[in-house]
Amino acid sequence: MRYNKIRKMDIANGPGVRVSIFFQGCAFHCEGCFNSETWDFNGGLEFTDEQIDEIINIAKDDYISGLSILGGEPMHPKNIDATTRLAKKFKETYPDKTIWAWSGFLFDEYLKDKEVVKYLDVLVDGQFQIAKRDPRLKWKGSSNQRVIDVQKSLKNNKVVLYK
């Protein structure tokens, strides 16, 4: 499992000031992807428990609203175990801070039964589609993507959009 970068103070990927990690590796290769340097599963740096501890430490300050998990594709079978470990440790350490994640995989078709969703607050799902690109959209790049309230979706057993 590899990662591309960790941002200590990110204001673009979720509400407030956040810690963001960009995992390495994606099989979707969406045309117009803003982060194509993360596609190669062999690129980037090795992800270990040291990076989890680093993220937990960076997020300790009160002004950090939460964690954002992006890629690459953090929910790819090669990455999802590390994503789950990170999300679990983060939520156990900071139960009042939010975890946002972005994935090309659809919540209701692939992710709803994965352990990782127990720890996520918001998921932006769906592959970026350049024909549906709209820079006015909040938290997503194309109109086919959904910003999902994960815990309400799990509770209601249907997709509930984040408001």
Side-chain angles (χ1 to χ4, degrees):
M1 170 59 225
R2 303 184 71 75
Y3 74 102
N4 182 271
K5 64 185 155 225
I6 296 170
R7 287 191 183 151
K8 296 179 180 182
M9 293 190 354
D10 188 350
I11 59 169
N13 296 300
V17 179
R18 311 179 68 74
V19 177
S20 293
I21 182 165
F22 293 78
F23 281 111
Q24 190 71 36
C26 183
F28 293 127
H29 298 183
C30 301
E31 180 185 354
C33 174
F34 85 104
N35 215 6
S36 58
E37 70 272 12
T38 64
W39 289 355
D40 182 359
F41 283 95
N42 297 312
L45 305 162
E46 184 179 358
F47 183 80
T48 67
D49 287 341
E50 286 181 33
Q51 282 70 46
I52 293 176
D53 293 340
E54 176 186 356
I55 289 167
I56 297 298
N57 186 51
I58 295 167
K60 72 182 180 301
D61 292 319
D62 289 341
Y63 66 86
I64 299 292
S65 301
L67 172 66
S68 294
I69 303 172
L70 309 97
E73 178 51 69
M75 305 305 174
H76 186 279
K78 291 183 178 181
N79 295 341
I80 197 166
D81 289 343
T83 300
T84 303
R85 284 192 352 260
L86 171 61
K88 181 178 182 186
K89 176 89 181 254
F90 190 90
K91 198 50 104 169
E92 287 172 348
T93 307
Y94 304 115
D96 296 327
K97 295 187 182 204
T98 61
I99 301 176
W100 282 52
W102 281 255
S103 177
F105 291 104
L106 297 178
F107 174 79
D108 35 349
E109 292 180 14
Y110 178 75
L111 293 172
K112 71 177 181 179
D113 296 322
K114 305 289 186 200
E115 179 186 359
V116 70
V117 298
K118 293 192 308 189
Y119 313 111
L120 301 180
D121 296 285
V122 176
L123 172 73
V124 180
D125 82 339
Q127 296 173 37
F128 173 75
Q129 295 179 8
I130 198 160
K132 296 180 179 181
R133 180 182 177 273
D134 184 345
R136 298 168 296 178
L137 297 171
K138 197 162 189 165
W139 316 125
K140 58 185 182 173
S142 58
S143 61
N144 62 295
Q145 295 173 305
R146 302 178 294 182
V147 182
I148 298 170
D149 184 317
V150 175
Q151 297 310 308
K152 284 183 181 175
S153 296
L154 292 172
K155 182 179 177 184
N156 292 298
N157 201 30
K158 68 177 186 174
V159 172
V160 177
L161 298 180
Y162 176 78
K163 296 180 184 190

Coordinates of all heavy atoms in Angstrom, one line a residue, residues 23-73:
F23 N -4.1 8.6 -1.4 CA -3.5 7.3 -1.6 C -3.1 7.1 -3.1 O -3.6 7.8 -4.0 CB -4.5 6.2 -1.2 CG -4.6 6.0 0.3 CD1 -5.7 6.4 1.0 CD2 -3.5 5.5 1.0 CE1 -5.8 6.2 2.4 CE2 -3.6 5.3 2.3 CZ -4.7 5.7 3.0
Q24 N -2.2 6.2 -3.3 CA -1.6 6.0 -4.6 C -2.2 4.8 -5.2 O -2.4 3.7 -4.5 CB -0.1 5.7 -4.4 CG 0.7 5.7 -5.6 CD 0.9 7.1 -6.3 OE1 1.0 8.1 -5.6 NE2 0.9 7.1 -7.6
G25 N -2.5 4.9 -6.5 CA -3.1 3.8 -7.2 C -4.5 4.0 -7.6 O -5.4 4.2 -6.7
C26 N -4.9 3.9 -8.9 CA -6.2 4.0 -9.3 C -6.3 3.2 -10.6 O -5.5 3.5 -11.5 CB -6.7 5.4 -9.5 SG -8.4 5.6 -10.0
A27 N -7.4 2.4 -10.8 CA -7.6 1.7 -12.0 C -8.6 2.4 -12.9 O -8.8 1.9 -14.1 CB -8.0 0.2 -11.7
F28 N -9.3 3.4 -12.4 CA -10.3 4.0 -13.2 C -9.8 4.9 -14.4 O -10.3 4.9 -15.5 CB -11.2 4.9 -12.4 CG -12.1 4.0 -11.4 CD1 -12.1 4.3 -10.1 CD2 -12.9 3.0 -11.9 CE1 -12.8 3.6 -9.2 CE2 -13.6 2.2 -11.0 CZ -13.6 2.5 -9.7
H29 N -8.7 5.7 -14.1 CA -8.1 6.6 -15.1 C -9.1 7.5 -15.8 O -9.1 7.5 -17.0 CB -7.3 5.7 -16.1 CG -6.2 5.0 -15.5 ND1 -5.3 4.2 -16.3 CD2 -5.8 4.8 -14.2 CE1 -4.4 3.6 -15.5 NE2 -4.7 3.9 -14.2
C30 N -9.9 8.2 -15.0 CA -10.9 9.0 -15.6 C -10.3 10.2 -16.4 O -9.3 10.8 -16.0 CB -11.7 9.7 -14.4 SG -12.6 8.5 -13.4
E31 N -10.8 10.4 -17.6 CA -10.4 11.4 -18.4 C -10.6 12.8 -17.7 O -11.6 13.0 -17.2 CB -11.1 11.5 -19.8 CG -10.7 12.6 -20.7 CD -11.6 12.6 -22.0 OE1 -12.4 11.8 -22.2 OE2 -11.3 13.6 -22.7
G32 N -9.5 13.6 -17.7 CA -9.6 14.9 -17.0 C -9.4 14.8 -15.5 O -9.6 15.8 -14.8
C33 N -9.0 13.7 -15.0 CA -8.7 13.6 -13.5 C -7.7 14.6 -13.1 O -6.7 14.9 -13.7 CB -8.1 12.2 -13.3 SG -7.5 11.9 -11.6
F34 N -8.0 15.3 -11.9 CA -7.2 16.3 -11.4 C -5.9 15.8 -10.7 O -5.0 16.5 -10.4 CB -8.0 17.2 -10.4 CG -8.0 16.7 -9.0 CD1 -7.2 17.2 -8.0 CD2 -8.9 15.6 -8.7 CE1 -7.3 16.8 -6.7 CE2 -8.9 15.2 -7.4 CZ -8.1 15.7 -6.4
N35 N -5.8 14.5 -10.6 CA -4.8 13.9 -9.8 C -4.2 12.6 -10.4 O -4.0 11.6 -9.8 CB -5.3 13.6 -8.4 CG -4.3 13.8 -7.3 OD1 -3.2 14.3 -7.5 ND2 -4.7 13.4 -6.1
S36 N -3.9 12.7 -11.7 CA -3.5 11.5 -12.5 C -2.1 11.0 -12.0 O -1.8 9.9 -12.3 CB -3.5 11.8 -14.0 OG -2.6 12.9 -14.3
E37 N -1.4 11.8 -11.3 CA -0.1 11.4 -10.8 C -0.2 10.3 -9.8 O 0.7 9.6 -9.4 CB 0.8 12.5 -10.3 CG 0.3 13.2 -9.1 CD -0.6 14.3 -9.3 OE1 -1.2 14.5 -10.4 OE2 -0.9 15.0 -8.3
T38 N -1.4 10.1 -9.3 CA -1.7 9.1 -8.3 C -2.2 7.7 -8.9 O -2.5 6.8 -8.1 CB -2.7 9.6 -7.2 OG1 -4.0 9.7 -7.9 CG2 -2.3 10.8 -6.6
W39 N -2.2 7.6 -10.2 CA -2.8 6.4 -10.8 C -1.9 5.2 -10.6 O -2.4 4.1 -10.5 CB -3.0 6.6 -12.3 CG -4.1 7.5 -12.6 CD1 -5.0 8.1 -11.8 CD2 -4.5 8.0 -13.9 NE1 -5.9 8.9 -12.5 CE2 -5.6 8.8 -13.8 CE3 -3.9 7.7 -15.2 CZ2 -6.2 9.4 -14.9 CZ3 -4.6 8.3 -16.3 CH2 -5.7 9.2 -16.1
D40 N -0.6 5.4 -10.6 CA 0.4 4.3 -10.6 C 0.4 3.6 -9.2 O 0.8 4.3 -8.2 CB 1.8 4.7 -11.0 CG 2.8 3.7 -11.0 OD1 2.5 2.5 -10.7 OD2 4.0 4.0 -11.4
F41 N 0.1 2.4 -9.1 CA 0.1 1.7 -7.8 C 1.5 1.6 -7.2 O 1.7 1.3 -6.0 CB -0.6 0.3 -7.9 CG -2.1 0.4 -8.0 CD1 -2.7 0.3 -9.2 CD2 -2.8 0.4 -6.8 CE1 -4.1 0.4 -9.2 CE2 -4.2 0.5 -6.8 CZ -4.9 0.5 -8.1
N42 N 2.5 1.7 -8.1 CA 3.9 1.5 -7.6 C 4.5 2.9 -7.3 O 5.7 2.9 -6.9 CB 4.7 0.8 -8.6 CG 4.2 -0.6 -8.8 OD1 4.0 -1.3 -7.9 ND2 4.0 -1.0 -10.1
G43 N 3.8 4.0 -7.6 CA 4.4 5.3 -7.3 C 4.3 5.7 -5.8 O 3.8 4.9 -5.0
G44 N 4.7 6.9 -5.6 CA 4.5 7.4 -4.2 C 5.4 6.8 -3.2 O 6.5 6.3 -3.5
L45 N 5.0 6.8 -2.0 CA 5.7 6.3 -0.8 C 5.0 5.2 -0.1 O 3.8 5.1 -0.2 CB 5.9 7.5 0.2 CG 6.5 8.8 -0.4 CD1 6.3 10.0 0.5 CD2 8.0 8.6 -0.7
E46 N 5.7 4.4 0.6 CA 5.1 3.3 1.4 C 4.3 3.9 2.5 O 4.7 4.8 3.2 CB 6.2 2.4 1.9 CG 5.6 1.2 2.6 CD 6.7 0.2 3.2 OE1 7.9 0.5 3.0 OE2 6.3 -0.7 3.8
F47 N 3.1 3.3 2.7 CA 2.2 3.7 3.7 C 2.3 2.7 4.9 O 2.1 1.5 4.7 CB 0.7 3.7 3.2 CG -0.3 4.2 4.3 CD1 -0.4 5.5 4.5 CD2 -1.0 3.3 5.0 CE1 -1.3 6.0 5.5 CE2 -1.9 3.7 5.9 CZ -2.1 5.0 6.2
T48 N 2.7 3.2 6.1 CA 2.8 2.3 7.2 C 2.1 2.9 8.4 O 1.5 4.0 8.3 CB 4.3 2.2 7.6 OG1 4.8 3.4 8.0 CG2 5.2 1.7 6.4
D49 N 2.2 2.2 9.5 CA 1.6 2.8 10.8 C 2.2 4.1 11.2 O 1.6 4.9 11.9 CB 1.7 1.7 11.9 CG 0.8 0.5 11.7 OD1 -0.2 0.6 11.0 OD2 1.1 -0.5 12.4
E50 N 3.4 4.4 10.7 CA 4.0 5.7 11.0 C 3.2 6.8 10.4 O 3.1 7.9 11.0 CB 5.5 5.7 10.5 CG 6.5 4.9 11.3 CD 7.9 5.0 10.7 OE1 8.2 6.1 10.2 OE2 8.6 4.0 10.8
Q51 N 2.7 6.6 9.2 CA 1.9 7.6 8.6 C 0.5 7.8 9.3 O 0.1 8.9 9.4 CB 1.6 7.4 7.1 CG 2.8 7.7 6.2 CD 4.0 6.7 6.4 OE1 3.8 5.5 6.4 NE2 5.2 7.3 6.5
I52 N 0.0 6.7 9.8 CA -1.2 6.8 10.5 C -1.0 7.6 11.8 O -1.7 8.6 12.1 CB -1.8 5.4 10.9 CG1 -2.3 4.7 9.7 CG2 -2.9 5.5 11.9 CD1 -2.7 3.3 9.9
D53 N 0.1 7.3 12.5 CA 0.5 8.1 13.7 C 0.7 9.6 13.4 O 0.4 10.5 14.1 CB 1.7 7.5 14.4 CG 1.4 6.1 15.0 OD1 0.2 5.8 15.2 OD2 2.4 5.3 15.2
E54 N 1.4 9.8 12.2 CA 1.7 11.2 11.8 C 0.3 12.0 11.6 O 0.2 13.1 12.1 CB 2.5 11.2 10.5 CG 2.7 12.6 10.0 CD 3.4 12.6 8.6 OE1 3.8 11.5 8.1 OE2 3.6 13.7 8.0
I55 N -0.6 11.3 10.9 CA -1.9 12.0 10.7 C -2.6 12.2 12.0 O -3.2 13.3 12.2 CB -2.7 11.1 9.7 CG1 -2.1 11.2 8.3 CG2 -4.2 11.6 9.6 CD1 -2.6 10.2 7.3
I56 N -2.6 11.3 12.8 CA -3.3 11.4 14.1 C -2.7 12.6 14.9 O -3.4 13.4 15.5 CB -3.2 10.1 15.0 CG1 -3.9 9.0 14.3 CG2 -3.7 10.3 16.4 CD1 -5.4 9.2 14.1
N57 N -1.4 12.7 14.9 CA -0.7 13.8 15.6 C -1.0 15.2 14.9 O -1.2 16.1 15.6 CB 0.8 13.5 15.6 CG 1.6 14.5 16.4 OD1 1.2 14.8 17.5 ND2 2.6 15.1 15.8
I58 N -0.9 15.2 13.6 CA -1.2 16.5 12.9 C -2.6 17.0 13.2 O -2.9 18.2 13.4 CB -1.1 16.3 11.4 CG1 0.4 16.0 11.0 CG2 -1.5 17.6 10.6 CD1 0.6 15.5 9.6
A59 N -3.6 16.1 13.4 CA -5.0 16.4 13.6 C -5.3 16.8 15.0 O -6.5 17.1 15.3 CB -5.8 15.2 13.1
K60 N -4.4 16.8 15.9 CA -4.7 17.0 17.3 C -5.2 18.4 17.6 O -5.9 18.6 18.6 CB -3.5 16.6 18.2 CG -2.4 17.6 18.1 CD -1.2 17.2 19.0 CE 0.0 18.1 18.9 NZ 0.6 18.4 17.6
D61 N -4.8 19.4 16.8 CA -5.2 20.8 17.1 C -6.6 21.0 16.9 O -7.2 20.4 16.0 CB -4.4 21.7 16.2 CG -2.9 21.7 16.6 OD1 -2.6 21.7 17.8 OD2 -2.0 21.7 15.7
D62 N -7.2 21.8 17.7 CA -8.7 22.1 17.7 C -9.1 22.6 16.4 O -10.3 22.4 16.0 CB -9.1 23.0 18.8 CG -9.0 22.3 20.2 OD1 -9.0 21.1 20.2 OD2 -9.0 23.0 21.2
Y63 N -8.3 23.4 15.7 CA -8.7 24.0 14.4 C -8.8 23.0 13.3 O -9.3 23.3 12.2 CB -7.8 25.2 14.0 CG -6.4 24.8 13.7 CD1 -6.0 24.4 12.4 CD2 -5.4 24.8 14.7 CE1 -4.7 24.0 12.1 CE2 -4.1 24.5 14.3 CZ -3.8 24.1 13.1 OH -2.5 23.7 12.8
I64 N -8.3 21.8 13.4 CA -8.5 20.7 12.4 C -9.9 20.1 12.5 O -10.2 19.6 13.6 CB -7.4 19.7 12.6 CG1 -6.0 20.3 12.4 CG2 -7.6 18.5 11.6 CD1 -5.7 20.8 11.0
S65 N -10.7 20.2 11.5 CA -12.0 19.8 11.5 C -12.1 18.3 11.3 O -13.1 17.6 11.7 CB -12.8 20.5 10.4 OG -12.8 21.8 10.6
G66 N -11.1 17.7 10.6 CA -11.2 16.3 10.3 C -10.2 15.8 9.3 O -9.2 16.5 9.0
L67 N -10.5 14.6 8.7 CA -9.6 14.0 7.8 C -10.3 13.8 6.5 O -11.5 13.4 6.4 CB -9.2 12.6 8.4 CG -8.5 11.6 7.5 CD1 -7.1 12.1 7.2 CD2 -8.4 10.2 8.1
S68 N -9.6 14.0 5.4 CA -10.1 13.8 4.0 C -9.2 12.7 3.4 O -8.0 12.8 3.4 CB -10.1 15.1 3.2 OG -11.0 16.0 3.7
I69 N -9.8 11.7 2.8 CA -9.1 10.6 2.2 C -9.5 10.6 0.7 O -10.6 10.4 0.3 CB -9.5 9.3 2.9 CG1 -9.3 9.3 4.4 CG2 -8.8 8.1 2.2 CD1 -9.9 8.1 5.1
L70 N -8.4 10.8 -0.1 CA -8.6 10.9 -1.6 C -7.6 10.0 -2.2 O -6.8 9.2 -1.6 CB -8.4 12.3 -2.0 CG -9.2 13.4 -1.3 CD1 -8.4 14.1 -0.2 CD2 -9.7 14.4 -2.3
G71 N -7.5 10.1 -3.5 CA -6.5 9.3 -4.3 C -6.1 10.0 -5.6 O -6.3 11.2 -5.7
G72 N -5.7 9.1 -6.4 CA -5.8 7.7 -6.5 C -7.2 7.2 -6.1 O -8.2 7.9 -6.2
E73 N -7.3 6.0 -5.7 CA -8.5 5.3 -5.3 C -8.3 4.6 -4.0 O -7.8 3.5 -3.9 CB -9.0 4.3 -6.4 CG -10.2 3.6 -6.0 CD -11.4 4.5 -5.6 OE1 -11.9 5.2 -6.5 OE2 -11.8 4.5 -4.4

